Amino acid sequence: MAALTETWLKLLDTLMKTFVFLRDVFGYFIPGAAFLALVYYDKLHPLLAAEPKTLEVLAVLGAAYCFGQVLVALGYRLVDTVDALWTVWSTGNSPAQNRRAQGGAPVDAKADELFYRYRFPGIFVENDRQDTIHITRIGLAMALIAAAVMHRYGLGPAHRDATTLLWPAAVLVGLTILYNCWSNQPHHGLMNRASIAAAKKADDAKMPSPNGAPAAAQKTDG
């Protein structure tokens, strides 16, 4: 029984590490690779089709990851800006004012989340999965919009022989995805809070932690 428990704990630990890896792959690398494929396909295809050198492959992978980081950062900034404008228009308060009105110190809330993630990582799997999908959608939406803008203004060799309507359609699809991401923001916040609440219930019920440490020994007073 002990051996079986240890096996499951190792599997759970691997799953947690894999989610971190998948977040980078799906959240940043895939959107960046999509952007490169849309904008620089004509230049990358001959390079990769002719048995590229290891350094060339690594350079392309690194560029895809870096572009993905930029696209996701811009996408989040756009979504957060729209959310802030909507909050001010609908409530008359800024997002910061609403957070202060809800009470609670942000640092304490984040500390609780980190603590319960360490103690009950399995409870946060679904939250992390949905968050990874959210990041991927934002990155892909920005990849479509950025590629369309570069094509429109001649900033890259982005398939100039493609159908004229293709790029406006790409912008429309990208904006639709971003709108979906913005409208789902409350759900992701709720999912995160629900995961923390579930972990607190598990802690109150004295459920064993996968890492084996007792609850009283792990949590310290702030």
Side-chain angles (χ1 to χ4, degrees), residues 76-156:
Y76 265 108
R77 175 52 56 194
L78 181 59
V79 170
D80 289 344
T81 299
V82 171
D83 186 63
L85 293 174
W86 174 260
T87 300
V88 171
W89 181 82
S90 59
T91 67
N93 297 324
S94 68
Q97 289 174 322
N98 285 339
R99 286 193 296 268
R100 285 194 294 269
Q102 292 173 359
V107 173
D108 291 341
K110 194 62 180 178
D112 284 343
E113 179 183 351
L114 292 174
F115 167 72
Y116 287 118
R117 277 183 176 275
Y118 169 69
R119 179 154 168 72
F120 300 109
I123 291 178
F124 292 87
V125 168
E126 179 60 21
N127 179 62
D128 291 340
R129 185 188 73 84
Q130 293 188 20
D131 193 45
T132 300
I133 294 174
H134 185 67
I135 294 174
T136 305
R137 287 175 177 173
I138 289 178
L140 288 175
M142 291 302 298
L144 288 171
I145 295 172
V149 170
M150 291 187 70
H151 171 78
R152 172 64 179 81
Y153 293 100
L155 301 176

Side-chain angles (χ1 to χ4, degrees), residues 18-219:
T18 302
F19 259 112
V20 174
F21 174 72
L22 290 178
R23 186 184 184 92
D24 281 334
V25 171
F26 286 95
Y28 304 113
F29 174 73
I30 288 182
F35 172 78
L36 289 179
L38 289 169
V39 179
Y40 296 106
Y41 174 82
D42 293 340
K43 293 184 176 297
L44 291 176
H45 182 264
L47 175 66
L48 298 178
E51 297 185 3
K53 299 178 182 178
T54 302
L55 288 179
E56 293 174 339
V57 174
L58 291 177
V60 172
L61 295 178
Y65 183 79
C66 291
F67 274 117
Q69 289 276 357
V70 173
L71 291 170
V72 170
L74 292 174
Y76 265 108
R77 175 52 56 194
L78 181 59
V79 170
D80 289 344
T81 299
V82 171
D83 186 63
L85 293 174
W86 174 260
T87 300
V88 171
W89 181 82
S90 59
T91 67
N93 297 324
S94 68
Q97 289 174 322
N98 285 339
R99 286 193 296 268
R100 285 194 294 269
Q102 292 173 359
V107 173
D108 291 341
K110 194 62 180 178
D112 284 343
E113 179 183 351
L114 292 174
F115 167 72
Y116 287 118
R117 277 183 176 275
Y118 169 69
R119 179 154 168 72
F120 300 109
I123 291 178
F124 292 87
V125 168
E126 179 60 21
N127 179 62
D128 291 340
R129 185 188 73 84
Q130 293 188 20
D131 193 45
T132 300
I133 294 174
H134 185 67
I135 294 174
T136 305
R137 287 175 177 173
I138 289 178
L140 288 175
M142 291 302 298
L144 288 171
I145 295 172
V149 170
M150 291 187 70
H151 171 78
R152 172 64 179 81
Y153 293 100
L155 301 176
H159 300 295
R160 285 175 174 73
D161 58 340
T163 305
T164 304
L165 294 178
L166 177 62
W167 298 107
V171 173
L172 179 61
V173 172
L175 290 176
T176 302
I177 296 174
L178 284 179
Y179 172 77
N180 178 263
C181 292
W182 169 70
S183 62
N184 280 337
Q185 290 276 81
H187 168 76
H188 289 286
L190 175 63
M191 189 68 190
N192 187 62
R193 293 191 299 273
S195 299
I196 296 174
K200 287 182 178 179
K201 288 184 177 181
D203 193 40
D204 293 340
K206 308 300 182 184
M207 292 181 63
S209 170
N211 57 40
Q218 289 186 52
K219 194 165 186 180

